[in-house]
Amino acid sequence: MEIGERKWWHDKVVYEIYPKSFCDSNGDGIGDLGGIVTKLDYLAELGADILWICPCFKSPFVDQGYDISDYCLIDPVFGSNEEMELLLVEAGKRGMSVILDLVANHCSTEHRWFQEACLDPEGKYGKYFTIVDAEKETYPNNWRSYFGGPVWSTLPGWPGKKYLHVFHEKQPDLNWENAEVREEIFRIMQWWLDRGVRGFRVDAIMNIKKPNLFLNFAPDREDGLVEMETVIKHAKGIETFLGEMKEKVLDPYDAFTVAEICGEREEDLPVFIGPEGMFSSMFDFRETTIGLSEKGWYDRTAVTADQYRDACFGAQAVFNPHGFQTNAIENHDSPRAADRFLPREAVADAGKKMLAMLHFFMRGIPCIYQGQEIGMENISLQSLTELNDVSALGEYGYAIRAGLTQDEALQVVQRYSRDNARTPMQWSADEKCGFTEGKPWMRINPNHTTINVRCQKDDPDSVLACYKEIIRLRKSPAYHDTLVYGSFIPMYEGEHDLMVYRREGDTRILVAANWSNCARRVDIPACFSKVLMNNLGEFTSEKGEGIILQAYQCVVLEAAND
Ligand code: GLC
Ligand code: CA
């Protein structure tokens, strides 16, 4: 399966950094760019190629930096523009590129544009946003913001006017229908690309095109509102905006982009990825959205092995004919993968390695979220006051209104809160986990005493060693072409608790996992006799009888060439 010409980013490994929680270099308890620079050798040794840095721009941090008040200024909490330039140079010296988070759907209410709009809603900057006349308690539509409540809030200083925000009220949506807004965003992108940034992770991009503002939909919860995912499906014509971005900015710089796109229509995939696509790649969210409920987090269901496999295979079937998806099982918005996907009993090194192997060898661009490579886990939550995630409070409310006790609601929030991914990176077993010398801005997971980089670094059986080996295999000349460009062939699709697939190119590779707590025999073609990776000590291959996989065992096998 060949998808157009080969691109520089096809065989890269992306590593997502959430700067606030990665490494603190000046003792104020908040991770920063200087901290990232000190960890570049670690990242290069791991095998990361593209570092995606979550928003580090000037921000009041209502949504942890996804509310930007100046797009071309590094927030002082993270350092300075000079430090960003240093990071770009130092990453480059180690063969790594940096991409930034492009938050173009909305800015912050503290952005100059919005401040000006509040002064003069009819003027130039008023047109940068969506502002309508609407009296108190009336709303032009019944759309629910992603963080709960209506998408409309009263424009400060104007009781008869409301502005649109599909996320938090402090994140006003930019009006992409206005050509001047598009030019502003393109200029910002060029500004960073000119400084050596190689591309962007494109935030929440589907939201830039809205359907008719006065369209109401059937409510999906008791609040009478409808979720934005439903609303956005009715928007038409986003490709006009994106086409302009591609032509004016992305193509001339040969930039790498990975878009956060949810709920796309399958027939629209060629619009987003592949030779004519607007972006290099896009995330597939099938795995992370398994068990989701319109009602809220409290109604989500645990993920089963079969659901996980079907989600992955489904994504492969849909994306592979068009281009490269980006495979991620963790990010700063979701709980830790081990807790999310594995049954409690399997949340241990073997299970974590199994997840890693299954996910990395599928077709697509692998993306690791900081701490995933050492198997970091969710953090427990004793009380609501420990919570930091803005979306979690709303979800707690939905759970209580649905009749859950405070304790139960707390457990729901603990399981799904974005805080789980945002605890400080566990560098060592020290009191402050090697993250800071000061008081960490966020709680440190007490399990850092056993799960940390320092203790895994030289341990060949560690989760970290497993990630390094996976990446080494993917890059080794013998397997590179098969693992990057080879076809993907699912096997045993209907089989309970089993995930098996092949990759075929110059070589033939088979990945097989037993996602259950008892050993089982799996019939596989006898030619797959060479063991490339194995997450557990013992492994038995019975001549002509297939293989025996222990509970949560995953093996990567290569076919002999005759
Ligand atoms: C994306 C980000 C998330 C943020 C939201 C609004 O979904 O990943 O963290 O809250 O966009 O910018
Ligand atoms: Ca700091």
Side-chain angles (χ1 to χ4, degrees):
M1 216 180 306
E2 197 65 52
I3 312 246
E5 52 177 305
R6 294 196 172 190
K7 300 278 193 187
W8 68 269
W9 45 264
H10 279 165
D11 59 356
K12 299 295 182 258
V13 173
V14 178
Y15 187 95
E16 176 186 0
I17 296 178
Y18 195 71
K20 216 171 170 179
S21 304
F22 190 62
C23 181
D24 173 24
S25 68
N26 64 353
D28 66 356
I30 302 175
D32 45 47
L33 299 183
I36 300 176
V37 172
T38 66
K39 299 298 181 187
L40 289 173
D41 286 331
Y42 166 80
L43 295 167
E45 203 189 311
L46 171 65
D49 304 298
I50 297 180
L51 308 178
W52 152 26
I53 306 195
C54 289
C56 46
F57 316 101
K58 185 98 183 85
S59 167
F61 292 100
V62 169
D63 185 21
Q64 291 304 356
Y66 281 90
D67 46 323
I68 298 175
S69 54
D70 187 337
Y71 287 87
C72 293
L73 195 65
I74 298 298
D75 194 284
V77 98
F78 292 128
S80 61
N81 284 34
E82 287 68 39
E83 276 175 284
M84 175 56 92
E85 301 210 7
L86 177 73
L87 169 59
L88 294 171
V89 170
E90 290 300 320
K93 280 187 195 158
R94 293 163 178 82
M96 295 184 287
S97 323
V98 170
I99 64 171
L100 298 180
D101 221 303
L102 177 70
V103 188
N105 177 67
H106 45 268
C107 59
S108 156
T109 45
E110 291 187 22
H111 195 288
R112 187 178 60 86
W113 299 334
F114 191 77
Q115 307 273 307
E116 299 273 349
C118 292
L119 294 177
D120 179 13
E122 307 298 333
K124 171 179 160 90
Y125 291 103
K127 299 190 179 70
Y128 275 38
F129 300 92
T130 303
I131 299 174
V132 297
D133 292 325
E135 289 309 319
K136 237 182 158 184
E137 304 305 324
T138 63
Y139 301 100
N141 61 34
N142 73 338
W143 307 351
R144 179 189 307 111
S145 89
Y146 288 98
F147 297 157
V151 297
W152 300 97
S153 289
T154 303
L155 190 69
W158 301 84
K161 290 188 190 297
K162 291 200 162 62
Y163 68 93
L164 178 81
H165 57 86
V166 304
F167 289 93
H168 194 273
E169 60 177 285
K170 297 275 169 64
Q171 295 170 299
D173 278 47
L174 288 163
N175 175 16
W176 273 71
E177 305 293 335
N178 179 349
E180 280 183 62
V181 167
R182 301 198 294 275
E183 288 302 328
E184 296 269 17
I185 297 291
F186 300 160
R187 261 199 301 276
I188 291 163
M189 294 171 75
Q190 280 159 345
W191 195 86
W192 282 114
L193 290 164
D194 285 338
R195 274 155 189 77
V197 164
R198 282 314 305 277
F200 302 94
R201 176 268 187 180
V202 189
D203 186 61
I205 195 70
M206 291 301 270
N207 298 286
I208 63 172
K209 185 78 196 182
K210 277 94 184 168
N212 182 325
L213 285 181
F214 299 96
L215 217 53
N216 280 309
F217 296 89
D220 54 26
R221 288 189 200 172
E222 275 153 17
D223 59 7
L225 304 177
V226 59
E227 60 174 17
M228 280 307 299
E229 284 86 349
T230 309
V231 174
I232 288 304
K233 288 207 174 82
H234 291 82
K236 297 243 158 48
I238 192 174
E239 58 277 12
T240 319
F241 298 157
L242 296 179
E244 212 178 310
M245 181 195 279
K246 177 177 161 74
E247 193 193 312
K248 291 190 175 160
V249 190
L250 300 176
D251 282 353
Y253 287 88
D254 194 14
F256 169 73
T257 45
V258 48
E260 185 192 32
I261 293 177
C262 320
E264 74 285 353
R265 290 170 288 242
E266 196 175 325
E267 66 267 26
D268 287 343
L269 279 181
V271 172
F272 298 119
I273 56 168
E276 304 300 321
M278 303 295 168
F279 301 113
S280 315
S281 183
M282 63 186 269
F283 290 105
D284 161 52
F285 287 104
R286 279 170 183 73
E287 295 97 303
T288 40
T289 51
I290 301 170
L292 221 68
S293 162
E294 281 174 351
K295 295 188 189 150
W297 289 356
Y298 72 90
D299 196 44
R300 280 177 96 154
T301 50
V303 181
T304 68
D306 296 355
Q307 282 175 325
Y308 181 85
R309 174 200 57 212
D310 294 349
C312 293
F313 287 4
Q316 291 285 316
V318 169
F319 284 93
N320 291 349
H322 302 292
F324 286 81
Q325 60 171 314
T326 292
N327 294 319
I329 49 173
E330 278 189 20
N331 62 35
H332 64 285
D333 288 331
S334 40
R336 291 291 179 176
D339 296 280
R340 176 93 178 89
F341 299 120
L342 297 172
R344 191 62 234 158
E345 71 201 18
V347 182
D349 284 4
K352 293 171 184 177
K353 292 177 189 172
M354 175 186 82
L355 280 177
M357 289 154 79
L358 286 173
H359 138 86
F360 249 76
F361 292 123
M362 285 189 293
R363 198 170 185 285
I365 297 165
C367 180
I368 303 173
Y369 176 65
Q370 68 186 40
Q372 179 186 334
E373 76 277 22
I374 53 167
M376 276 178 64
E377 297 174 9
N378 283 354
I379 186 162
S380 63
L381 185 66
Q382 313 300 336
S383 100
L384 220 48
T385 53
E386 290 174 342
L387 207 62
N388 186 277
D389 174 8
V390 281
S391 64
L393 283 174
E395 293 290 346
Y396 180 83
Y398 285 119
I400 293 288
R401 281 195 289 283
L404 274 72
T405 65
Q406 290 186 352
D407 235 29
E408 289 163 344
L410 201 63
Q411 274 179 36
V412 167
V413 173
Q414 115 107 66
R415 188 164 329 126
Y416 296 114
S417 160
R418 303 192 293 179
D419 283 354
N420 285 313
R422 299 176 181 184
T423 60
M425 173 74 185
Q426 295 165 200
W427 295 106
S428 73
D430 301 352
E431 194 198 340
K432 311 275 177 63
C433 71
F435 162 70
T436 181
E437 308 259 282
K439 184 176 178 314
W441 76 278
M442 193 171 170
R443 292 175 298 142
I444 291 176
N445 197 320
N447 69 12
H448 73 277
T449 49
T450 50
I451 300 177
N452 64 64
V453 172
R454 193 182 292 155
C455 72
Q456 295 191 19
K457 213 161 38 79
D458 301 314
D459 173 2
D461 290 328
S462 63
V463 176
L464 181 59
C466 174
Y467 270 89
K468 283 189 191 163
E469 178 59 11
I470 291 173
I471 298 175
R472 195 194 59 78
L473 261 187
R474 194 178 137 93
K475 293 186 177 180
S476 68
Y479 306 112
H480 169 274
D481 271 32
T482 303
L483 291 172
V484 175
Y485 295 103
S487 56
F488 176 92
I489 304 159
M491 295 172 74
Y492 294 110
E493 284 174 274
E495 194 79 24
H496 197 39
D497 288 347
L498 206 59
M499 182 158 166
V500 186
Y501 60 81
R502 292 201 310 278
R503 299 296 311 276
E504 295 198 347
D506 333 332
T507 51
R508 283 177 297 154
I509 290 171
L510 183 143
V511 182
N514 170 12
W515 197 309
S516 80
N517 57 9
C518 27
R520 68 187 287 177
R521 195 171 68 84
V522 186
D523 287 313
I524 57 158
C527 59
F528 287 97
S529 51
K530 182 171 174 196
V531 183
L532 296 180
M533 281 192 81
N534 169 16
N535 69 340
L536 283 177
E538 348 127 39
F539 172 66
T540 345
S541 161
E542 304 177 325
K543 269 236 147 359
E545 298 281 331
I547 54 174
I548 305 284
L549 290 180
Q550 306 302 317
Y552 304 105
Q553 183 163 32
C554 181
V555 290
V556 181
L557 308 173
E558 183 189 355
N561 250 344
D562 45 46

